[in-house]
Amino acid sequence: MDFDAIVVGSGITGGWSAKELTEAGLKVLMIERGREIRHQQDYATETKAPWEMPFRGIGDAALYDREYPVQKLNRHFTEFTQNHFVNDAENPYAKGPGTEFTWFRSYQLGGRSLTWGRQAYRWSDYDFGANARDGHGTDWPIRYADLAPWYDKVEQFIGVSGQNEGLAQLPDGKFQPPMAMNAVEQHLRAAIRERWPERCLTIGRTANLTQAKLEEGRAPCQYRSICARGCSYGAYFSTQSSTLPAAQKTGRLTVITDAVVEGLDHDPATGRITGVRWIETKTKQRRRATSRIVFLNAGAFNSVQVLLNSVSEAMPGGLANSSGVLGTHIMDHANTLSAMALMPGFEGHTSFGNRPTGVILARYRNMETMDGAGHSRGFSFQGGALQSNWGAGKREAGIGADYKEKLRHPGMWRVVLVGFADCVPRPTNRLTLDRSRTDANGLPVLKVDFAFGKEEHAALAQAKADATEMLTAAGGKVLMGSDSPGPGGTAIHEMGGARMGLDPATSVLNKWSQAHDVANLFVTDGAQMSSSACQNPSLTYMALTARACDAAVSMLREGRI
Amino acid sequence: MTGTASPSWNRRDFLGVAALVALAAGLPAAAVRLSELPDDEAPSEALRALLREVSQLVLPRTGTPGAGEVGTGDFVLLALAHGLEGARAPNAGAALPAFASFARPDGSLRHADWLEHELNRRAGGNFLAAPGRASLLAALDVEAFAEGVGAHPWRTIKALILTGYYTSETGGAQELRYELVPGRWDADLPATPATVAYSSDWTAVDFG
């Protein structure tokens, strides 16, 4: 088999690569390690009620303990969605001494685009300039202006609803109309702004449509907020709802599922990738295809694994690793529930429908003034105001008719603010292959070494104090808060490992997401990130992918690769 | 454990009985759907009757059927065996020494056996035949939720009774409101003391 391009992975960036490259006229092969999931046909639990599920939607905890001990910790993992997550027992990974890392994965057509949180934020020059500013990591070879038009393109295609606020640290975008904030959130926004004019709480910018995209067969959000089951309305962005049909429409896409990529073949004479090798997971047969260019979109850690496993005599430390930094400087946002408060005074308010997004309180520390206490980067908050329901009854005494009557009505309003702190890129946080262990396909398992440092702990300490102060100022009664990050991976924003940089001696990729060492290799998922920012990264992955595809096609046409 | 499972009890019988109970109550069989339990977790009929009654006492019939009537007792037994609400935490016996005699070999508590023992003790005999059962249970409930009391097996059982009821069709869609496809988002509506909550408010279910 020979193609113009091979795309490894079908998730958020794989779908974008397939779309952009096929629309540019290339014949593309997409290889997905997991099973096929067809849009509108294979969302098996989408319309189920709790009483139609064996364990009422909560799931079989004993089974989860045995086979999903990591995935069960994901807040989107339920009995309704467990078929969209990997079985941990069948997909092992290793951890270094002292490492706590929860690696949440979805091996299927569409990857984690089916289960993602859909928060879509632009990064700013505070983020692209962060490494140069404080000396951690290596400088990004791009700035916001390089990416702005690609953010425009991506937002308009996937559909992002949100409110433009004119914030330098959270740039405006091409948004569909925002979803409204509820009464408590509106109050909170006003109360915070009154005392801290530079702090902006706004509705989450989410890849859920508030206006139909009929030309793409996508209906607006129905306010179910059960997105991770799969959405037959196509109302949230996923590979299935958006990029895959666009790519298939060209007639130039071939998709292979149940095929895990083992490695890339490299010709030392030409310095090029000459083929992609994979294992059919059902038959264990090995297959190979060739192409002019390869896009690695297997997910940050798995793309690094493919490179580390692609050793050759010329590249014994892994493909595109002449710098020796492949696998290093991995990151994930340090993440914790900074504060939760009761918000009395809103008992006369409620809402209808399930809004599939919360709110965001944009970064405000360490911008023009370095006012971080013990840290040099940023943190932001996501969360929202919600009313409790019957679940509150689990925490209180009571039985009988009066108790049942109480649980019949919406409970107190509460606000939660979850802190997301920038993660400093460190060489000691890294991925390697544990060749002493293999998975079901005979591939060496990935080993994660990861720890947060004093910067992240300091940021979350300040986030807790700030959140407490803001909620109290808004009339809230703070019940609890934390300044301890969850294990690495908790934010599900693992990134880095094949970082972009100016210098081939200290980075894996150049400013086009192209390997310094291998001209026809592009890595455009989270592996390419050089810093983490403190907002969700997926929109930036997509924009970088679209930009890299454009560059790659130009290079092909000009005969440069 | 004062009751024992019938020697001939098996999953098929359990499902069959459950379905008959459901039909007799005019309820869909799915309300008490059960999956396979290992033999050593098979509940006795006495235990099933106890959990049914206790569920009904916690959430009795009002304008809608009570929890016991819709199969919540069986759900609780299923959920306890499968570890929902942390019911199979292996260190529970050590963490709660007062209840250690009800620990399984793996250290987890046999919550239902403990409850049967505890309620019979409080009743001075068979709880199910005792007068004032609601008062006896309420006393246990108050003790379990008293300030300073941490983990307690009754808290686990009660949590599962609530879960079983409000995720049943009766609890979720009759006692509360259920809307799978709201179709719109109304951010700010007036609420009164009569406003009925939605069991399909998934954020509240997750975090409420």
Side-chain angles (χ1 to χ4, degrees), chain A residues 350-421:
Chain A
T350 191
S351 59
F352 174 76
N354 296 320
R355 193 186 61 194
T357 183
V359 299
I360 183 168
L361 205 167
R363 169 184 178 172
Y364 50 87
R365 295 286 184 193
N366 291 328
M367 298 202 302
E368 298 316 302
T369 304
M370 295 300 286
D371 56 357
H375 63 104
S376 57
R377 299 199 172 181
F379 57 80
S380 63
F381 297 101
Q382 292 179 32
L386 61 118
Q387 283 180 288
S388 61
N389 67 2
W390 59 265
K394 296 179 181 180
R395 300 187 294 272
E396 59 191 53
I399 68 167
D402 290 347
Y403 177 68
K404 185 182 175 190
E405 173 62 21
K406 182 181 176 186
L407 299 182
R408 194 160 194 244
H409 307 289
M412 282 286 289
W413 282 94
R414 286 188 287 163
V415 172
V416 294
L417 290 179
V418 176
F420 287 78

Side-chain angles (χ1 to χ4, degrees), chain A residues 191-204:
Chain A
I192 292 171
R193 176 160 284 183
E194 182 178 356
R195 181 157 166 194
W196 297 278
E198 77 283 8
R199 299 185 189 180
C200 179
L201 183 145
T202 187
I203 188 68

